[in-house]
Amino acid sequence: MKKKLFLTYWAFFLLSHFSVFAQEEQRCREFVKGEGKVNSENDPLYYQFLDKIQRNDGRQEEDELIVIPLLFHIMHSGEQIGQATNISHEQIVSQVRVLNEDYSGQNPDRGNARPQFQKVAGRLNVLFVLAKLDSAGKFLAEEGVIRMKSEKYRWTSDEIEQEVMPKTIWDPTKYLNIWVFGDVAQYYGFARFPDQSGLAGLRNSYGDPMSDGIALDHDAVGSYLYANVPQLQNPTRTTVNQGRTLTHEIGHTFGLLHTFEDGCLTGDYCDDTPPISSSTQRTCQLERLACQTGQLAMTENFMDYTPDRCLNIFTQQQVARMKTVLQKCPRRKELTSSFVVSLEKENFAEKVDIYPNPVEHELNIQFFDLTDKECKVFNNLGKQIYQEKAVDSLRIQTSLWADGLYILQIKTANSFFTKKIVVQK
């Protein structure tokens, strides 16, 4: 999301596709279509998470990894895959990589955050993955992607919300649905806030669950740093070509407001993000001042409208809001246990023995009565670091792996399952 705010029951990116001046002339407006009044205080659960985060200096416990399955609906104009609106799988994978880096605090530009803001930087221990199964438990032809041809190129937010999303959404308790269009009129993207969050600044309900998802422009998906695709080389899109639009939009989906919310009146209800009078646009503006006298604005925060190249942190209070949403909100909490990233048609407890866990130097896997077995291991950024077909057993050397949490995936002819593995030396 990257231009002025429309806060209805959607949080919109008011990023015009025209001149910079036209973008800056747009105003923020709040439509009161959501149900219930705006919460003035936070749910007690928020303070429990915040206390734990602050005691751990912004770090998350390794056993708290949250896995979020993503499903991209590509609304293309009939081009070959990889051309124009029918974006390539490579472009989508680059976007997932950006999400995992940004939310875990392992983005390469994290160190660019200024020292006073590094002190309050937070990390959400989450792993975004492309969904592997459809709702019937069958493997998707293309992981995490559904492609649909449309004669329409430019869509308004009303058309997307009222026509496209309700007709094409996959179960929002199992998939985080993301629609990619040729052009989302006036915006680079938009997302919906969670229901029943109990968080300050949000309402109780934001409408029809069947339009609960995210919409994006096709050339605001992914990063030119990780994918060599024409859509990300567009000279008119240099402010949004590193994948931070979706980082920002998922922030809204997980309960975050803009850092400039309501100007200097309330801010985003996070005390560790200094309130600012308006959005930051066009450049990084590191010298910009916040509302409080002498305090710098946190223009590097993912929830401002600063260009992608400038954005690099969430704060600890923002992370506490997101964790609250993921534990208590309808459709958000169910996502964290969705079967579409792990299906156990077999009784794996009886047919696979995995030890030791935690592991220091060697992970042993013993199989009983399983055929066509393949093992993969992913690090906490979702990057595959190991793959091997198995016969009766496997010994995986972990001596050179950094301490931390990994995802082991075992796939057979009919099913697969995942297990968290902790490397601890």
Side-chain angles (χ1 to χ4, degrees):
M1 193 196 248
K2 299 214 171 174
K3 287 290 165 194
K4 305 267 181 183
L5 170 69
F6 273 81
L7 180 55
T8 159
Y9 53 89
W10 292 94
F12 289 112
F13 265 8
L14 300 184
L15 288 180
S16 169
H17 292 180
F18 306 107
S19 72
V20 169
F21 301 103
Q23 293 172 359
E24 294 179 343
E25 289 171 356
Q26 296 199 51
R27 291 183 176 271
C28 297
R29 296 168 60 188
E30 180 174 345
F31 294 90
V32 289
K33 292 183 180 178
E35 296 178 7
K37 65 181 181 180
V38 175
N39 299 321
S40 59
E41 297 182 358
N42 284 309
D43 187 282
L45 184 62
Y46 162 82
Y47 294 104
Q48 295 175 26
F49 282 129
L50 181 60
D51 179 66
K52 185 174 183 180
I53 291 168
Q54 291 178 336
R55 282 191 284 109
N56 288 311
D57 195 26
R59 296 186 298 271
Q60 298 298 305
E61 298 296 328
E62 291 295 347
D63 61 356
E64 293 180 353
L65 182 72
I66 301 165
V67 179
I68 302 293
L70 307 177
L71 183 68
F72 286 82
H73 304 255
I74 310 302
M75 306 294 292
H76 62 86
S77 301
E79 306 95 338
Q80 292 186 345
I81 295 177
Q83 301 296 317
T85 61
N86 200 3
I87 63 174
S88 67
H89 199 77
E90 178 189 5
Q91 188 172 344
I92 295 167
V93 168
S94 76
Q95 178 64 73
V96 178
R97 177 175 176 179
V98 170
L99 293 176
N100 284 321
E101 290 179 345
D102 288 350
Y103 277 83
S104 68
Q106 298 188 49
N107 45 306
D109 52 1
R110 176 65 171 260
N112 294 343
R114 287 164 287 177
Q116 63 268 47
F117 299 136
Q118 291 276 7
K119 296 176 182 178
V120 296
R123 300 166 177 82
L124 183 65
N125 198 14
V126 64
L127 180 67
F128 295 96
V129 299
L130 293 173
K132 296 177 173 58
L133 304 171
D134 64 18
S135 56
K138 297 180 179 179
F139 289 109
L140 290 167
E142 184 178 2
E143 284 190 3
V145 179
I146 297 295
R147 299 181 185 271
M148 294 170 283
K149 183 179 177 181
S150 172
E151 300 301 323
K152 194 176 183 66
Y153 178 84
R154 195 166 195 258
W155 299 79
T156 67
S157 56
D158 283 346
E159 289 171 335
I160 292 170
E161 177 194 349
Q162 297 170 17
E163 299 175 21
V164 179
M165 289 179 168
K167 295 178 181 178
T168 61
I169 192 171
W170 286 33
D171 187 344
T173 68
K174 296 181 175 66
Y175 306 87
L176 179 53
N177 288 270
I178 301 165
W179 286 265
V180 180
F181 298 88
D183 181 26
V184 180
Q186 295 185 303
Y187 320 116
Y188 284 131
F190 62 83
R192 206 178 89 165
F193 289 124
D195 295 337
Q196 302 174 31
S197 69
L199 291 172
L202 295 181
R203 299 180 185 276
N204 185 59
S205 175
Y206 288 92
D208 185 1
M210 298 310 289
S211 57
D212 188 0
I214 296 169
L216 295 173
D217 263 13
H218 76 286
D219 50 6
V221 178
S223 173
Y224 81 94
L225 297 172
Y226 302 140
N228 183 21
V229 295
Q231 288 85 344
L232 300 175
Q233 309 301 327
N234 188 336
T236 67
R237 296 289 199 270
T238 56
T239 60
V240 292
N241 64 356
Q242 293 186 32
R244 265 61 192 266
T245 299
L246 188 53
T247 297
H248 181 112
E249 294 299 347
I250 289 179
H252 286 312
T253 300
F254 290 172
L256 299 187
L257 299 168
H258 293 127
T259 54
F260 53 87
E261 196 76 26
D262 289 335
C264 296
L265 295 177
T266 61
D268 61 352
Y269 296 87
C270 293
D271 293 338
D272 52 8
T273 59
I276 52 178
S277 58
S278 60
S279 62
T280 307
Q281 304 175 26
R282 303 176 61 183
T283 63
C284 299
Q285 300 186 41
L286 298 179
E287 74 290 345
R288 185 182 180 187
L289 295 178
C291 297
Q292 185 174 340
T293 303
Q295 190 173 26
L296 286 171
M298 190 186 287
T299 58
E300 55 262 68
N301 192 282
F302 288 121
M303 299 313 292
D304 200 347
Y305 285 168
T306 324
D308 278 10
R309 65 182 181 277
C310 313
L311 301 172
N312 48 55
I313 64 168
F314 289 113
T315 67
Q316 293 175 19
Q317 291 190 29
Q318 286 177 320
V319 170
R321 286 179 70 97
M322 291 191 282
K323 288 181 72 67
T324 301
V325 166
L326 288 168
Q327 180 154 323
K328 78 179 294 258
C329 293
R331 299 180 299 283
R332 307 295 184 265
K333 62 183 178 182
E334 291 90 348
L335 274 178
T336 63
S337 57
S338 172
F339 78 88
V340 299
V341 294
S342 179
L343 176 64
E344 298 192 29
K345 286 186 177 177
E346 313 276 0
N347 188 345
F348 279 99
E350 296 180 357
K351 297 188 176 183
V352 181
D353 190 12
I354 302 169
Y355 64 94
N357 190 17
V359 60
E360 292 186 55
H361 306 296
E362 185 178 82
L363 182 68
N364 294 280
I365 306 175
Q366 188 74 38
F367 300 98
F368 310 97
D369 263 349
L370 288 175
T371 59
D372 300 325
K373 304 170 290 292
E374 183 179 51
C375 292
K376 297 180 181 179
V377 179
F378 302 83
N379 64 17
N380 64 354
L381 295 180
K383 180 180 179 181
Q384 182 179 312
I385 61 171
Y386 175 89
Q387 179 177 2
E388 188 170 348
K389 291 186 179 298
V391 182
D392 296 321
S393 63
L394 277 178
R395 291 183 177 181
I396 304 176
Q397 301 303 313
T398 60
S399 299
L400 299 180
W401 297 2
D403 284 8
L405 190 142
Y406 297 79
I407 299 295
L408 169 67
Q409 180 188 102
I410 299 176
K411 181 178 179 181
T412 70
N414 299 314
S415 58
F416 74 95
F417 87 121
T418 58
K419 184 174 180 63
K420 298 175 184 177
I421 303 296
V422 176
V423 174
Q424 192 174 67
K425 303 185 183 73

